[in-house]
Amino acid sequence: MEVCMETQVVQVLDLQRDQKNIAAAATLLREGGLVVLPTETVYGIGANALDPMAVVKIFKAKGRPQDNPLIVHIARLEDITQLVTEFPPTAKALAERFWPGPLTIILRKSSLVPGAVSAGLDTVAVRMPSHPVARAIISQSGVPVAAPSANLSGSPSPTTAQHCIFDLSGQVDMIVDSGWCSVGVESTVVTLAGDVPRLLRPGAVTPEQLRQVLGEIEVDAAVAHKHDDSRPAASPGMKYKHYAPRARLVLVHGSLEKFTEYVHSNNTDGVFALVFDEDKTKLHMPCVSYGSQHSPQQQARRLFSALRELDVQDAAQVFARAPSTAGMGLAVYNRLLRAASFEEIYL
Ligand code: TXA
Ligand code: MG
């Protein structure tokens, strides 16, 4: 990558003690810089959403396709009004129930939102994160902050500052290290720009929770299936290969017994199993685990880190045990399916 700047890495573990670092990050954002900041979902690479020059730098740093729009992050509810043409009752109800938190709401955009943020669409995605450090930085910057996940385009999203340093060192002005992200997968994305609310990306806010507030919602076909390239994508990000380690990854459905038999009969050099914690001692081959079979929350928190670990260990071929899709499991399954480029087998 051409751009190479000095990237300052600072820690914010305590809002009071590390106030200076928060203020420095906020100033950089206000002045058009790029700052990697922690959120409760994953780390984001932030820029002033109202400054097209700053926003363009995000796409360069990540190697992100220009047609993939960004989420705008706010710290106070009233900051949404300048970004959208209308803040309908359904959006208010969602915001009241889930903000601050891991939910992104898509609405019709106002003319204040640069085309670079919305990638030419007439809508804008907005989220109010709950991470105290994200909130402090955004509110002190005094500007809405456009922030995609702070990984190189196509790589697993970052859940620690080390992941961001690995991907983006030399491409951003500052990386704010606040340790692990508590959720671990990106926010739930729901669009209210059409006739019926539609789930575009599953996350910690589950379809069941959305239905409690909205009544009926549609789940976009791209949540659990490959995008049909002959049609425009409701969410452009869903059509790209994503979250992928360098290894070829195949998602395997079936019992541990069948899985074991299958991977052992395909166990050549560089083959790894991506399994649940409970399976690890039973497999007798190179394994990385991504949480308990019984905890979708833990799987979400550990998945991206596990995918990166497979690269560190130089895996060439990975067979991954498929998670349950109940509740938050749908988000874990959705990410794994993309990491596998939609390659699944049922035993
Ligand atoms: O949890 C998150 O949402 C993280 C943290 C940093 O907040 N951000 C994040 O951003 O995941 P990103 O850019 O990696 O994913 C945003 C997704 C993409 O799939 C994009 O296509 C979609 O949201 N999106 C953004 N604006 C949209 C719009 N106006 N219409 C449809 N999809 C949109
Ligand atoms: Mg992303």
Side-chain angles (χ1 to χ4, degrees):
M1 228 158 293
E2 336 137 24
V3 194
C4 200
M5 51 176 102
E6 200 183 316
T7 299
Q8 206 186 335
V9 180
V10 300
Q11 273 206 334
V12 178
L13 299 174
D14 182 295
L15 286 182
Q16 293 306 318
R17 192 196 61 203
D18 301 322
Q19 250 186 69
K20 259 206 191 135
N21 292 338
I22 293 174
T27 304
L28 270 169
L29 284 173
R30 193 166 49 245
E31 293 177 349
L34 291 188
V35 175
V36 168
L37 69 166
T39 84
E40 71 280 17
T41 55
V42 299
Y43 277 78
I45 168 171
N48 177 356
L50 304 182
D51 177 350
M53 303 279 276
V55 169
V56 164
K57 289 196 283 184
I58 292 180
F59 287 85
K60 284 216 184 89
K62 275 186 65 99
R64 181 177 177 103
Q66 300 272 351
D67 68 347
N68 194 1
L70 307 177
I71 297 172
V72 179
H73 297 69
I74 55 173
R76 299 171 314 173
L77 192 57
E78 57 262 41
D79 291 339
I80 195 174
T81 45
Q82 58 173 340
L83 303 172
V84 298
T85 53
E86 198 200 350
F87 189 38
T90 43
K92 282 198 184 104
L94 284 180
E96 203 163 287
R97 170 82 168 76
F98 299 112
W99 280 359
L103 176 70
T104 295
I105 305 173
I106 295 176
L107 293 165
R108 302 237 163 261
K109 83 173 192 75
S110 75
S111 55
L112 197 65
V113 178
V117 170
S118 59
L121 300 175
D122 60 359
T123 53
V124 63
V126 187
R127 169 162 118 81
M128 190 198 293
S130 64
H131 196 296
V133 177
R135 290 167 65 74
I137 293 173
I138 297 164
S139 91
Q140 283 190 37
S141 76
V143 294
V145 174
S149 49
N151 51 287
L152 289 175
S153 213
S155 295
S157 292
T159 48
T160 68
Q162 282 66 41
H163 297 160
C164 307
I165 293 168
F166 186 81
D167 277 17
L168 294 172
S169 207
Q171 307 297 320
V172 298
D173 295 290
M174 181 182 274
I175 294 176
V176 178
D177 179 357
S178 298
W180 276 78
C181 299
S182 59
V183 174
V185 292
E186 307 86 340
S187 60
T188 303
V189 178
V190 64
T191 179
L192 300 178
D195 296 336
V196 181
R198 177 180 283 256
L199 176 71
L200 300 183
R201 182 175 72 182
V205 174
T206 63
E208 296 76 21
Q209 287 177 310
L210 291 172
R211 284 194 187 101
Q212 282 167 12
V213 175
L214 296 172
E216 199 45 40
I217 60 158
E218 286 174 355
V219 175
D220 199 273
V223 166
H225 304 278
K226 188 170 174 12
H227 172 67
D228 171 0
D229 284 334
S230 64
R231 305 175 51 193
S235 185
M238 291 189 300
K239 67 185 183 202
Y240 295 110
K241 180 170 172 175
H242 241 123
Y243 318 117
R246 281 193 307 272
R248 170 162 170 244
L249 190 144
V250 178
L251 196 49
V252 183
H253 297 260
S255 65
L256 176 63
E257 290 66 34
K258 286 190 169 154
F259 179 87
T260 308
E261 204 182 292
Y262 183 81
V263 289
H264 280 289
S265 63
N266 287 280
N267 191 3
T268 48
D269 256 9
V271 168
F272 274 70
L274 177 61
V275 296
F276 303 117
D277 291 349
E278 295 86 347
D279 309 337
K280 245 190 135 173
T281 53
K282 301 179 189 147
L283 265 153
H284 310 295
M285 62 174 289
C287 281
V288 170
S289 69
Y290 70 103
S292 166
Q293 180 160 20
H294 309 292
S295 173
Q297 278 74 18
Q298 196 183 60
Q299 292 165 18
R301 205 174 307 132
R302 294 211 350 233
L303 178 66
F304 288 141
S305 185
L307 291 175
R308 283 176 183 260
E309 179 60 25
L310 289 162
D311 275 346
V312 171
Q313 298 207 26
D314 222 10
Q317 163 79 63
V318 178
F319 296 107
R321 284 205 72 195
S324 152
T325 56
M328 201 183 165
L330 184 62
V332 178
Y333 171 68
N334 169 276
R335 304 315 189 271
L336 264 170
L337 193 58
R338 278 160 179 77
S341 294
F342 300 90
E343 213 181 322
E344 295 180 273
I345 53 175
Y346 291 81
L347 299 177

Coordinates of all heavy atoms in Angstrom, one line a residue, residues 62 64 149 151 157 186 242, ligand 2:
K62 N -8.1 0.8 4.0 CA -8.7 -0.6 4.1 C -8.6 -1.4 2.7 O -8.7 -2.6 2.7 CB -10.2 -0.5 4.4 CG -10.5 -0.4 5.8 CD -12.0 -0.5 6.0 CE -12.6 -1.8 5.6 NZ -12.9 -2.8 6.7
R64 N -10.8 -0.8 0.5 CA -12.3 -1.1 0.4 C -12.9 -0.7 -0.9 O -12.6 0.5 -1.4 CB -13.0 -0.4 1.6 CG -14.5 -0.7 1.7 CD -15.0 0.1 2.9 NE -16.4 0.0 3.2 CZ -17.0 -0.8 4.1 NH1 -16.3 -1.6 4.8 NH2 -18.3 -0.7 4.3
S149 N -15.3 -1.6 10.0 CA -14.4 -2.4 10.8 C -13.0 -2.1 10.4 O -12.7 -1.9 9.2 CB -14.8 -3.9 10.6 OG -14.9 -4.2 9.2
N151 N -10.2 -3.6 9.7 CA -9.4 -4.6 9.1 C -9.1 -4.3 7.6 O -9.8 -3.4 7.1 CB -10.2 -6.0 9.1 CG -11.6 -5.8 8.5 OD1 -12.4 -5.2 9.2 ND2 -11.8 -6.3 7.3
S157 N -12.7 -9.3 10.8 CA -12.8 -8.1 11.5 C -11.9 -8.1 12.8 O -11.7 -9.2 13.4 CB -14.2 -7.8 11.9 OG -14.9 -7.5 10.7
E186 N -19.7 -7.8 14.2 CA -20.3 -6.5 13.9 C -21.8 -6.4 14.2 O -22.5 -7.4 14.3 CB -20.0 -6.2 12.4 CG -18.6 -6.3 11.9 CD -18.3 -7.7 11.5 OE1 -19.1 -8.7 11.9 OE2 -17.4 -7.9 10.7
H242 N -15.5 -12.3 2.6 CA -15.3 -11.6 3.8 C -14.7 -12.4 4.9 O -14.8 -13.7 4.9 CB -16.7 -11.2 4.3 CG -16.9 -9.8 4.4 ND1 -17.9 -9.2 3.8 CD2 -16.3 -8.8 5.2 CE1 -17.9 -7.9 4.1 NE2 -17.0 -7.7 4.9
Ligands
MG2 MG -16.3 -4.9 7.8

